[in-house]
Amino acid sequence: MTVSAMQNRETGGATNTGTTANTIAGNDNSAAGLKNEFLTLMVAQIKNQDPLNPLDGAEYVAQLAQFSTVEGIENMGKLQNQNNVLMDTLQVLQSTNLAGKQVSIPVDRINLDAEEELTGTVALPAAASEVEVRALDAAGNVVESVNLGARDAGETAFTLPELDAGQYTLEVIARNGDDLTTYPPKLQRTVEKVSVPSDGSDIRLQVAGVGSVSLFSISEFLGGRS
């Protein structure tokens, strides 16, 4: 039986109940607020019930149980939101310490300001009979390469010979019989700057020679300083 049904059943307490409802009308619509409103109305109903035809207490208990369940779910949602805010804050604080640190990141293009060797790893999803890492200039010519030979699935370290300043395309060529697959290598680069967008989007890292990338595009945090 709902509160409205109980009110309709009352014979002498319509005025008192209405006054009570008006008094608590300003309560919030949260689960706790609705529960308090229900308790207030329930007390008013009990005070003004017909003693010859009393209300069923089981109905009160059932409705209170429903309010308690909703209140519990609402509180869990608030706690989850608080945890999410805390995690976001911790992520921002930890990310600000990345400036000057080394990271491993998939790179298919790089812009070098000075002569530099490139070190990194090749991540192969399957074994290959021959693996080669290449650096190509703007015209598509191979300017440097290193042959890693046959490799099993997994990561293999490499170092490309020193490249002049300029823009390069990087690729890994994996051959296995007649099959040929191309992958971007993972390079070890330095984080130059950390940016926290005001719109709540991904934290951005300015990576040397690579540019601005999402924090979540980083494969590995290597630590140390360049």
Side-chain angles (χ1 to χ4, degrees):
M1 179 182 296
T2 64
V3 172
S4 296
M6 290 188 288
Q7 289 176 332
N8 291 335
R9 182 176 172 179
E10 297 300 329
T11 57
T15 301
N16 291 337
T17 303
T19 302
T20 302
N22 290 334
T23 301
I24 62 178
N27 287 4
D28 63 77
N29 289 324
S30 66
L34 293 175
K35 182 179 178 181
N36 290 336
E37 181 178 345
F38 173 78
L39 288 172
T40 302
L41 290 174
M42 183 182 74
V43 171
Q45 294 284 347
I46 293 174
K47 287 181 177 180
N48 295 284
Q49 67 180 327
D50 183 357
L52 300 178
N53 187 21
L55 300 173
D56 185 1
E59 294 291 341
Y60 292 123
V61 174
Q63 290 198 45
L64 281 174
Q66 292 176 1
F67 279 119
S68 297
T69 300
V70 173
E71 186 177 6
I73 294 173
E74 187 178 82
N75 290 336
M76 287 180 62
K78 291 179 180 178
L79 181 60
Q80 182 62 48
N81 288 336
Q82 292 173 354
N83 288 338
N84 290 339
V85 171
L86 177 60
M87 291 299 294
D88 290 342
T89 302
L90 290 175
Q91 184 183 82
V92 170
L93 292 175
Q94 291 175 347
S95 298
T96 56
N97 293 325
L98 291 174
K101 301 295 180 66
Q102 291 278 310
V103 295
S104 177
I105 180 174
V107 176
D108 56 4
R109 297 180 185 277
I110 192 166
N111 186 8
L112 302 179
D113 295 329
E115 293 182 352
E116 184 181 349
E117 285 185 346
L118 297 181
T119 59
T121 59
V122 173
L124 296 176
S129 58
E130 183 181 8
V131 178
E132 183 180 10
V133 184
R134 295 176 173 179
L136 296 81
D137 61 18
N141 300 314
V142 177
V143 294
E144 289 292 355
S145 66
V146 58
N147 195 314
L148 304 178
R151 296 289 172 174
D152 293 329
E155 290 200 348
T156 300
F158 73 87
T159 299
L160 268 175
E162 193 171 82
L163 296 168
D164 294 332
Q167 295 183 349
Y168 298 93
T169 298
L170 304 176
E171 62 182 14
V172 177
I173 306 296
R175 296 182 178 87
N176 198 358
D178 294 333
D179 295 332
L180 186 148
T181 311
T182 303
Y183 309 99
K186 295 180 182 179
L187 294 186
Q188 296 176 9
R189 307 301 295 168
T190 301
V191 177
E192 298 177 326
K193 184 175 66 174
V194 179
S195 301
V196 182
S198 59
D199 61 1
S201 56
D202 292 351
I203 294 170
R204 308 294 297 181
L205 305 182
Q206 187 72 26
V207 179
V210 180
S212 178
V213 300
S214 167
L215 172 68
F216 300 107
S217 66
I218 303 300
S219 300
E220 187 178 1
F221 299 96
L222 305 174
R225 291 184 178 272
S226 57

